Amino acid sequence: MSSEAATGAVASGRPHRHDAWRKWAEIAFFVTPALALMALFVAWPIFTAARFSLYDWNGLGPLDDFIGFANYAEVLADDVFRAAVAHNMIIVVGSIIVQLPLGVAIALLLNRKMAGQGVLRTLIFVPYVLAEVIAGVIWFQLLQPEYGLVDALMNGIGLSPPEEGWLGTPEVALWVVLAVLTWKYLGLAVLLFLAGLQGVSEELYEAAQLDGAGWWQTQWRISIPLLGPTIRTWCFLSMIGSIQCFDMIWVLTGGGPANATTTMATYLIDEGTNRHNYGIAGAASVVLFAIAFVMALVYQLVVLRRDTKEAA
Amino acid sequence: MPRKTQALAALCAGLMIAATGCGGSGDSGGDDKTITWWHNSNNDPGKGFYEQVAKDFEDANPGVDVKVQAMAHEDMLTKLDAAFQSGDVPDVYMERGGGELADHVEAGLTRDLSEDSKDIIEQIGGSAAGWQVDGKTYALPFSMGVVGFWYNTELFEKAGVTAPPATMADLYAAFDKLDKAGITPVSLGAGDGWPAAHYWYYTALRACSQDVLETAVADLDFSDPCFVEAGETVEEIVAEKPFNKGFLSTPSQTGPTSASGLLATGKVAMELAGHWEPGVMQGITEDKQGLGDKTGWFPFPAVDGGEGDPAAQLGGGDAWAVSEGAPDKAVDLVNHLLSDEVQKGFAENDMGLPTIPAAGSAVKDPALAELLKVRDEAPFVQLYFDTAFGESVGGAMNDEIALQFAGKATPEDVVKATQEAADKEK
């Protein structure tokens, strides 16, 4: 609608200024919707959570009981929250050390020309495409104590599954959750690594072959080093996903048994939505935000710096 | 080009409107002839029954328009939470009582019904206690049940348990007999927290006198040693290992491997649950019969040496409340909902356990009739502690009790965690 008015104005004879104005108008025009959505659904909730975190509030009535940083002190001293942070970190590290070698190995394998390549690629990628909640419900049923498929199979071959079930035994529940998360997200790693491998120039392989390098040597000396930037980006994505980990845990264990699988996200749902301690939940979410932000920043500065530098 | 920009502009504008204009639904339409009513009977016969009730009320009060919204229970709770926060509460809605209601009263959201519903409150009697704050009644319970053991009469017979256990010793003996017969005695949905907590509530009810419990609810004081004793009895029960495998992560009511599902499908002999259990079991089994005529019920056994009355029961229910600022006709509607006639129809349609004595005889199911008898003969019915104390204290208490079932907390830890959460409320 503004463009017609603009064409009229061009004729009035100050083309330079007008072009600049028009450019800005266009930028504003295209950016405003995205900015408005960001402000409404990202910036405003963050601001609101930060505001709640300074009050003692149960969700009803006015927000008038200002208590400063008492909620933060309480959250940081809470054993359940500390355990939740520890679980998050276990998931961050566990996901990377399990999925990285496995993902690279599968990607290298699937990068070779072989029969059934397409089918295999699809199979590996299917779990990632499944909605997390649906995958969670399916695994929950498979892992049922006594009546679940996993227990039945194990009993069938003479192994004994944990007495209280895979998800009901506090000592093993987190590892089981980690295994399911690995199953779910390995596909993404493989997909990214495969894409990264496509970017490795064919000439390099040829040169290596001429120099007499075997398949293993070629992978070790050429493919993997050149996959570096992809791996570093994937690690970053995986890390952020692990810190925010919620859906799968909520469906599989709800944070139990005995708080063995809580994460920061389940903690804040429990405190906020279930117990109406909105101040505590607000403080927990700000802490979650700070942890994710610092980790992302440090990672960007330390690990991703050379990638971005190369690009620039 | 201009056309394209225009189209884009229109699209963006449309998106922004969609994103920002959250279309206020205006449930509390300001005029005093329209009453909004939210309930959770979203399946027939309950849904149809309430539609008819609303229609009859409209016929009896010309010009009044009752807008009924039936929704699934969880949806209703979520919508109510949002409604309370925005202050835009439906005129007639459901209250669970206790600490939650006290919060609503304190925030000025719920109307005092003490005067306008005096007759009905008298008829309801002691059951109304859970919906009273400082001597005033803010909601009228229309269904009230007590928690007890639902059991499979056939499995009990098979294991040679001839009479329902009346003492803890009887209960443990029954566990042993069932075990010997190769039957898992009890299912427990500790994954949800509260089903495990109900054991603690009951042992506290048996260990503590009514006075101590009333003080605990009013002053949030758990210093009496009886609360630790309650935990010790729970420890005894857990040590018997009567529960289904994996009970720590078992959900209470969803699917055939939930606690209710295991009872409904004959995999365990009993489960501690409220009056909702037959309905839940019917929903889980394919033939919609649940345990059918194998359903039995007995109250929580007496505990030796406790100060509590062995006939006291743990229970809770749902009540109709009127929001502050609702039209006066809304109070008439609530009174009509508690009339003998509506309560009888409510019971005949198996929608719950009526609180008006005249409607009691309309409950036909034998197990529920037995439960109703126990409820009416109880010296008092203690509201579920988590409801009585409110979400914050109740949630902390339930979590710690669940930890005790996992062997990760002592009876003292439970009292300590509860007291700490309670101190924050003061």
Side-chain angles (χ1 to χ4, degrees):
Chain A
M1 38 193 179
S2 62
S3 57
E4 252 148 82
T7 358
V10 173
S12 78
R14 281 155 67 191
H16 283 301
R17 287 201 49 182
H18 186 77
D19 272 359
W21 179 87
R22 185 188 153 133
K23 198 172 138 199
W24 280 112
E26 251 172 46
I27 290 175
F29 190 75
F30 288 115
V31 167
T32 310
L35 273 186
L37 289 178
M38 277 283 280
L40 191 69
F41 292 109
V42 179
W44 179 248
I46 291 176
F47 170 74
T48 314
R51 201 159 78 100
F52 286 172
S53 72
L54 302 175
Y55 292 83
D56 182 11
W57 191 52
N58 67 359
L60 301 173
L63 197 61
D64 54 8
D65 191 1
F66 186 82
I67 53 167
F69 290 95
N71 284 328
Y72 288 90
E74 196 178 311
V75 165
L76 295 175
D78 188 347
D79 289 341
V80 179
F81 184 74
R82 289 182 181 186
V85 176
H87 297 150
N88 271 116
M89 293 307 150
I90 290 174
I91 296 172
V92 168
V93 175
S95 297
I96 291 177
I97 56 176
V98 175
Q99 290 177 35
L100 181 59
L102 217 54
V104 171
I106 294 172
L108 289 177
L109 197 69
L110 289 180
N111 204 32
R112 301 182 82 175
K113 290 209 167 40
M114 57 173 169
Q117 195 188 34
V119 177
L120 276 176
R121 283 190 185 187
T122 313
L123 275 181
I124 296 272
F125 197 57
V126 160
Y128 181 69
V129 183
L130 270 183
E132 192 152 330
V133 173
I134 293 171
V137 171
I138 293 170
W139 274 104
F140 181 79
Q141 294 303 336
L142 293 177
L143 291 167
Q144 282 294 317
E146 254 179 298
Y147 310 106
L149 183 71
V150 175
D151 276 24
L153 286 177
M154 286 191 73
N155 285 326
I157 55 170
L159 294 172
S160 51
E163 176 86 351
E164 292 301 330
W166 292 101
L167 298 169
T169 312
E171 290 73 24
V172 299
L174 186 62
W175 305 108
V176 174
V177 169
L178 193 58
V180 175
L181 284 171
T182 303
W183 167 86
K184 179 86 173 67
Y185 287 100
L186 188 60
L188 176 70
V190 171
L191 184 85
L192 285 177
F193 297 159
L194 271 174
L197 286 173
Q198 305 299 316
V200 179
S201 160
E202 201 59 37
E203 291 159 22
L204 287 172
Y205 291 122
E206 276 171 26
Q209 254 173 358
L210 287 177
D211 286 341
W215 188 80
W216 281 109
Q217 261 182 317
T218 319
Q219 308 308 325
W220 191 246
R221 306 257 173 208
I222 296 180
S223 303
I224 293 180
L226 287 173
L227 208 49
T230 315
I231 289 177
R232 287 191 285 275
T233 310
W234 168 78
C235 281
F236 183 67
L237 291 176
S238 167
M239 205 174 79
I240 297 297
S242 302
I243 291 177
Q244 298 176 342
C245 190
F246 174 72
D247 318 29
M248 186 61 85
I249 291 195
W250 199 246
V251 176
L252 285 180
T253 66
N259 296 332
T261 58
T262 47
T263 62
M264 287 185 272
T266 67
Y267 178 88
L268 66 94
I269 288 290
D270 199 38
E271 284 290 342
T273 313
N274 294 349
R275 295 195 200 168
H276 295 198
N277 292 332
Y278 290 100
I280 299 281
S285 64
V286 171
V287 173
L288 167 61
F289 176 78
I291 292 177
F293 189 69
V294 168
M295 281 180 76
L297 209 64
V298 169
Y299 195 84
Q300 290 273 7
L301 287 177
V302 176
V303 182
L304 286 179
R305 192 169 57 171
R306 50 179 174 160
D307 295 332
T308 38
K309 221 189 239 166
E310 275 163 27
Chain B
M1 256 324 203
R3 280 191 81 106
K4 221 172 184 178
T5 346
Q6 272 178 3
L8 257 175
L11 185 73
C12 295
L15 269 177
M16 284 180 69
I17 290 166
T20 49
C22 315
S25 55
D27 273 317
S28 62
D31 69 290
D32 50 347
K33 291 281 184 197
T34 310
I35 303 169
T36 49
W37 172 27
W38 290 7
H39 68 74
N40 66 352
S41 298
N42 62 331
N43 288 314
D44 275 322
K47 193 178 175 201
F49 174 71
Y50 274 154
E51 268 163 22
Q52 189 58 45
V53 168
K55 210 165 150 264
D56 292 347
F57 184 78
E58 283 173 349
D59 291 345
N61 297 271
V64 172
D65 180 20
V66 182
K67 283 196 166 26
V68 192
Q69 269 205 57
M71 38 197 134
H73 184 69
E74 292 298 322
D75 290 348
M76 185 186 75
L77 296 184
T78 314
K79 285 187 90 172
L80 271 178
D81 264 351
F84 286 127
Q85 282 171 30
S86 69
D88 193 7
V89 188
D91 299 324
V92 176
Y93 68 96
M94 275 165 71
E95 273 286 0
R96 286 176 297 190
E100 209 176 294
L101 172 69
D103 286 344
H104 297 157
V105 170
E106 199 189 337
L109 296 164
T110 306
R111 180 162 164 162
D112 176 9
L113 299 175
S114 312
E115 286 306 314
D116 297 330
S117 307
K118 210 171 182 177
D119 295 346
I120 288 171
I121 295 166
E122 265 167 31
Q123 287 185 61
I124 295 171
S127 296
W131 289 266
Q132 285 164 344
V133 181
D134 297 332
K136 289 177 187 154
T137 308
Y138 288 89
L140 310 177
F142 58 90
S143 177
M144 178 104 184
V146 295
V147 173
F149 280 101
W150 293 92
Y151 71 100
N152 185 325
T153 49
E154 203 176 83
L155 291 182
F156 265 45
E157 214 169 287
K158 209 169 127 193
V161 184
T162 43
T167 64
M168 292 311 278
D170 290 352
L171 186 67
Y172 300 151
F175 290 168
D176 283 345
K177 282 186 182 164
L178 288 159
D179 259 336
K180 286 208 181 88
I183 301 162
T184 306
V186 189
S187 64
L188 173 61
D192 284 341
W194 56 264
H198 280 179
Y199 280 87
W200 191 93
Y201 299 171
Y202 250 124
T203 54
L205 191 58
R206 296 283 179 262
C208 305
S209 68
Q210 192 176 358
D211 278 352
V212 170
L213 292 174
E214 274 170 8
T215 319
V217 174
D219 304 340
L220 295 176
D221 173 14
F222 302 90
S223 56
D224 196 286
C226 69
F227 291 106
V228 175
E229 280 166 35
E232 283 162 356
T233 312
V234 166
E235 218 159 43
E236 248 176 66
I237 300 171
V238 176
E240 292 281 325
K241 293 191 189 293
F243 304 118
N244 60 299
K245 277 188 184 169
F247 67 92
L248 290 176
S249 61
T250 302
S252 58
Q253 301 175 347
T254 42
T257 48
S258 65
S260 300
L262 290 172
L263 181 62
T265 53
K267 298 276 199 286
V268 302
M270 60 182 129
E271 187 201 355
L272 185 66
H275 57 285
W276 55 76
E277 192 61 11
V280 171
M281 289 198 289
Q282 284 156 16
I284 291 173
T285 49
E286 212 134 80
D287 56 8
K288 301 290 166 209
Q289 295 299 308
L291 266 185
D293 51 12
K294 289 181 284 183
T295 316
W297 188 87
F298 64 92
F300 197 89
V303 178
D304 281 345
E307 297 279 313
D309 190 324
Q313 301 297 326
L314 175 79
D318 293 309
W320 295 123
V322 176
S323 61
E324 197 63 67
D328 290 339
K329 280 284 173 200
V331 180
D332 294 348
L333 174 61
V334 165
N335 286 340
H336 176 61
L337 290 175
L338 268 295
S339 63
D340 290 1
E341 175 203 342
V342 174
Q343 277 266 290
K344 267 183 195 152
F346 176 80
E348 277 161 8
N349 283 302
D350 288 328
M351 294 164 70
L353 292 174
T355 49
I356 297 292
S361 57
V363 174
K364 292 283 175 276
D365 182 277
L368 280 175
E370 165 71 18
L371 186 151
L372 195 66
K373 202 176 110 214
V374 170
R375 182 196 82 184
D376 291 340
E377 283 168 4
F380 71 104
V381 175
Q382 171 63 49
L383 187 63
Y384 314 120
F385 286 124
D386 50 356
T387 310
F389 298 141
E391 285 111 338
S392 183
V393 181
M397 176 163 74
N398 288 358
D399 270 16
E400 202 68 20
I401 295 170
L403 284 184
Q404 200 198 339
F405 274 80
K408 307 258 174 196
T410 63
E412 288 80 10
D413 290 340
V414 173
V415 177
K416 194 169 151 256
T418 310
Q419 188 68 62
E420 272 171 13
D423 287 342
K424 276 182 233 156
E425 293 282 291
K426 288 178 187 169

